[in-house]
Amino acid sequence: MSDTKDATLPPGIRRLHEGMARVWANPSGLGALTVVNHTSVGLRFMVTGAVFFLIGGLLAMLIRTQLAFPGNAFMSHETYNQVFSMHGTVMMFLFAIPILEGVAIYMIPKMIGARDLVCPRLSAFGYFCYLFGGIILTSSLVLEMAPSSGWFMYTPLSSGEYSPGLGSDFWLLGITFVEISALSAGVELVVSILRTRTEGMALHKMPLFAWYILAMALMIVVGFPPLILGSVLLELERAAGMPFFDVAGGGDPVLWAHLFWLFGHPEVYIIFLPGAGIVSTLLPVFARRPIVGYGWVVAAIVIMGFISFGLWVHHMFTLGIPQLALAFFSAASMLVAIPTGIQIFVWLATLWLGRPVMSLPMLWIVGFLVIFVLGGLTGVMLALVPFNWQVHDTHFVVAHMHYVLVGGMLFPLLAGLYYWLPLVSGRMPSERLGKWSFWLIFLGFNVTFLVMHWTGLLGMRRRVFTYDSAMGWDIYNLISSVGGFMMSAGVALLILDITLHFRFGRKAPQNPWNAGTLEWAMPKPPTPYNFVSLPRLETRHPLWDDPELPRTIAAGKHGLNTIEHGRRETWGSDALTGKLREVVHLPTNSWWPFFAALALAVVCICLLVKLYPLAGVATLVAVVFLLRWSWENGAHPKAAPDATVAPGQPPLHSRTMNGPGVWTMSVSHLANGSLYLSLLFGWFYLWTVAPEWQMPETSPLSLPLLAGAGLALTLGTAWLAKLVRRLRGHSDSGLGGGMYLVAGLGALQSALLGLVIWRAELAPSETAHDATLLVALAYVLIHALLGALLCLLQGLRVGYGFVGAEAPLEPVVVLRLWYYNLIVYWSLFVAVWVMPTLLGGAS
Amino acid sequence: MKRLLRMTHPIHLVVGPTLWGLWFVAIYAGLSVACSVSPPAPEQGTLTGINVAVGLATLATTVLLLGLSWAGVTAARRAELRRDCYFAFTSAGIHLFSAGATLFIGYPVVFLPPCI
Ligand code: HEM
Ligand SMILES: [Cu+2]
């Protein structure tokens, strides 16, 4: 079959393509900063991630050079501490997660038959946060002020007393900034997968890759906030002396460990799931049959997503946890082998029952299977508490970790790279160079890390910068280092191969691997609009069942095949059945994401160098940019210049009551709620566990003021709900005035809360109790202000005619925020006022 | 809302693990709080109020999950749409796994004194 672009198209269709190209065009030059399209943003994520991989790899080589010989003086121990801390940090936060998100951002719309993700500006914003955060973090290496307490930054080692200087601050601020990008991609992917699949793609017909990414994205949304909270608290401790993790002030360093691993363990699965998703996508293609047991895989994904949150304490087995709790977490850790096992059996069965062909991507998959299974086995060993006590913090753990991470993530990633490369470049990779690089990396990897199991069992602790020859570790370390350099040679060859292929690769046919998924029905390289027309799909393998699909799509034979209205649009469909519900109109290129991220970068740098007033100004600027960005939405003429839809088509999403925006708000609140619950966890944890925690006799918070603020919030929510109910009945009388009234109630709530804080006279730098209370109150205050502000904007928008009976979506979205605030406020009231007052000075 | 309660709705894919998660958080938090408020004497062995409470919670959760799993199987048998059948069966499997996970993680209460 010829490439879809080569087909000679009739003039009508050609005009359609040209119109699409105009509306979806990516500007060049400086304008490239305004690009929001998922293809470009996904590529940017991947290329940036690859650069960070090289930086992390360089650091790894420095580590291996230092450890190659006993008593080596290649690096001082201070430098070594920085190098291994940055290696772990860069690999986990700046390479693994972002590059996988990049793959997801790039692939998901193409696989589910959409033209873009639902919030394109959010992905662009996420990318800039990642880029700036990464630059800030890595610049610490150049400045020789890098963090040096390891990638998990345990307190008190990372606290002010033992880590003066800026190292820890770089980590805490930089990582929090980068996490914004992970979270925005997470939210966006969830909503896109659920709500913008092409017509007919019911949930159980979705490609498996989308299931994996859905699980990954939800795990990011729930799993990252605990770390964000931890980082904020630790930074507050370092910068303002609020003693959350300091025993003397009533804090507890173990709280950091909990918050970190509440994020850290799921993180491992967040990295593994997309890797497994790539395997489950490629394996059926090369086995030339559908995957065996689609339902089993879905079940395994769901189980894995949940169970992995119940294991975090297995990283803390040596921290002094009651035996019974150890038993719980040990058992839970073993259980997670079951869903992993299910997937491995599914993959083996698919290979067994298919007619496998060996090619380069498949080679990487085989490498993955070997390495990952070995890593899984040592993982089950580590879940056994007595064995864990033996090898804790030795190179055995380092070896296990790399078998799981490199085996479970890097190998599938490279398989996916070779597999999807033709889609990006339109050319085929070379088999010869690729095989060389595979064998170098595969053998180099095993030489490096297999022997690390031995050094670990012989008692070599991790994070030591040198060792004595008398320990008998010399030869193992040397072998390990040689293996490391072998692997680097393999990576170098890989880069060479990929670079050369862009020039010399053979031109790829339309569906080079004979795959069944929709992304191969696109022109190569992809156009910014992906598909000129969006097909109706009824099967899991559209291209196997209808090999003509690429041609009919390009000929504009399917849905949404007009462009005269000048909007970027894609289908909005029912999450379960894939029935069409609305036409989603997407925003076009915009400067706001770039400006907002830039302002946040300024905030981050100001906080680093302790220019607090300037940081405050930059925060305000960032808020203004973000609000300005939100202004161009819904019925704003820039968002939908022409609101008519062709007869028979569903309405524009901003003209409905349940567009994807409502889902975006709800998924964001999942993240926000996770942050809030982590904060409550911290409060109760310190209250019950911290040895020096002090609870005042009576609550410092004024009951009348607290209750008054709650009342204002409750009234405001009720009023807003009433306005939305009226909108549902198609009436917008009193909408504008109502919005101002609700905004006023929000302002009243904020003012009363401000009074509560002011009157409480807290001493946050003296006791952890007051510090935690202050953070909790600040949290609700920020939400109260946001609620008021958004209603104020809604009032204005009603005046401009952007919101009303014809365009009722936005009040529904804002109402979600108010409901959230309501729940959070009253539950916090119970936690910080009612319970302490009832239980009083406990401990 | 009513749609969500049917065993054929995909929301049930996550109901089992969610119940499991709530149980897990409840026993872990309960254990920690009970141990900090009134730890039983170590001589008492495993027959403490804490073990009994955790054991009962475990059994109740397991039974509930097994019940849901069975409900899923019946719903799958009765389903007319392929989609409904598919989701009911998959959810039933996940419920069953969650029941097993609850039992497997909860069983050490029989052997271990709680707070040491
Ligand atoms: C390119 C080959 C790699 C080599 C030779 C290598 C080598 C090492 C070594 C020797 C350590 C131990 C430092 C110590 O504990 O003293 C280490 C730590 C670590 N590595 Fe790698 N690594 C490689 C790739 C990766 C990748 C791809 C990832 C993640 C996706 C990764 C993640 C980590 C993490 C998280 C740590 C822990 C750092 C810490 O203990 O704080 N590494 N690596
Ligand atoms: Cu773990």
Side-chain angles (χ1 to χ4, degrees), chain A residues 397-726:
Chain A
V397 174
V398 179
H400 154 71
M401 181 179 81
H402 285 84
Y403 265 80
V404 186
L405 286 175
V406 176
M409 180 263 168
L410 189 66
F411 274 65
L413 183 72
L414 293 177
L417 174 72
Y418 274 112
Y419 175 75
W420 280 309
L421 206 52
L423 196 63
V424 180
S425 66
R427 293 174 186 277
M428 300 301 285
S430 110
E431 289 273 328
R432 175 120 40 91
L433 269 183
K435 277 199 177 126
W436 270 96
S437 95
F438 169 80
W439 285 110
L440 275 174
I441 293 182
F442 181 78
L443 291 176
F445 172 81
N446 281 295
V447 171
T448 316
F449 291 102
L450 197 63
V451 286
M452 271 200 209
H453 290 105
W454 277 230
T455 35
L457 288 174
L458 288 174
M460 177 159 165
R461 306 190 59 71
R462 73 199 283 195
R463 301 179 173 185
V464 290
F465 88 108
T466 191
Y467 50 92
D468 197 284
S469 193
M471 308 300 289
W473 304 333
D474 304 12
I475 182 70
Y476 300 109
N477 273 297
L478 186 59
I479 295 176
S480 186
S481 295
V482 171
F485 284 96
M486 228 167 117
M487 198 174 163
S488 313
V491 172
L493 210 55
L494 186 103
I495 297 172
L496 186 71
D497 186 18
I498 305 288
T499 324
L500 288 182
H501 120 283
F502 273 93
R503 247 198 94 101
F504 301 109
R506 178 165 56 84
K507 251 195 144 332
Q510 177 61 35
N511 186 356
W513 315 107
N514 194 16
T517 37
L518 201 56
E519 78 271 25
W520 297 105
M522 296 199 336
K524 286 190 297 299
T527 47
Y529 48 88
N530 288 345
F531 307 96
V532 163
S533 62
L534 299 178
R536 182 186 162 79
L537 296 185
E538 295 291 355
T539 99
R540 281 180 199 151
H541 309 285
L543 287 200
W544 284 348
D545 296 338
D546 178 10
E548 284 302 301
L549 211 49
R551 228 192 312 272
T552 52
I553 290 176
K557 296 252 167 72
H558 306 276
L560 283 186
N561 53 356
T562 49
I563 194 67
E564 290 73 42
H565 44 62
R567 297 185 297 258
R568 294 187 179 187
E569 49 182 33
T570 193
W571 286 133
S573 52
D574 182 80
L576 172 56
T577 60
K579 276 207 193 79
L580 293 188
R581 286 172 58 157
E582 60 269 298
V583 173
V584 178
H585 53 94
L586 300 162
T588 57
N589 308 320
S590 160
W591 279 103
W592 300 116
F594 174 74
F595 285 149
L598 199 61
L600 286 180
V602 174
V603 174
C604 188
I605 293 171
C606 289
L607 289 176
L608 256 179
V609 295
K610 309 204 185 307
L611 285 176
Y612 298 120
L614 204 57
V617 175
T619 310
L620 275 185
V621 172
V623 170
V624 170
F625 283 160
L626 287 167
L627 291 176
R628 180 61 188 75
W629 155 358
S630 80
W631 189 254
E632 281 168 25
N633 243 327
H636 187 284
K638 261 199 153 168
D642 169 1
T644 51
V645 287
Q649 277 198 355
L652 292 186
H653 80 271
S654 52
R655 275 65 175 175
T656 68
M657 298 285 286
N658 195 13
V662 181
W663 291 58
T664 313
M665 192 51 137
S666 305
V667 178
S668 314
H669 279 152
L670 223 51
N672 201 350
S674 167
L675 185 90
Y676 171 68
L677 285 179
S678 308
L679 183 61
L680 273 192
F681 168 77
W683 168 255
F684 287 117
Y685 184 86
L686 292 179
W687 184 353
T688 51
V689 177
E692 300 286 322
W693 174 264
Q694 292 157 1
M695 203 70 153
E697 289 295 306
T698 55
S699 172
L701 309 179
S702 143
L703 177 64
L705 288 177
L706 267 183
L711 206 63
L713 169 64
T714 312
L715 276 178
T717 315
W719 198 263
L720 189 57
K722 191 168 157 186
L723 292 176
V724 169
R725 254 197 319 280
R726 268 207 221 135

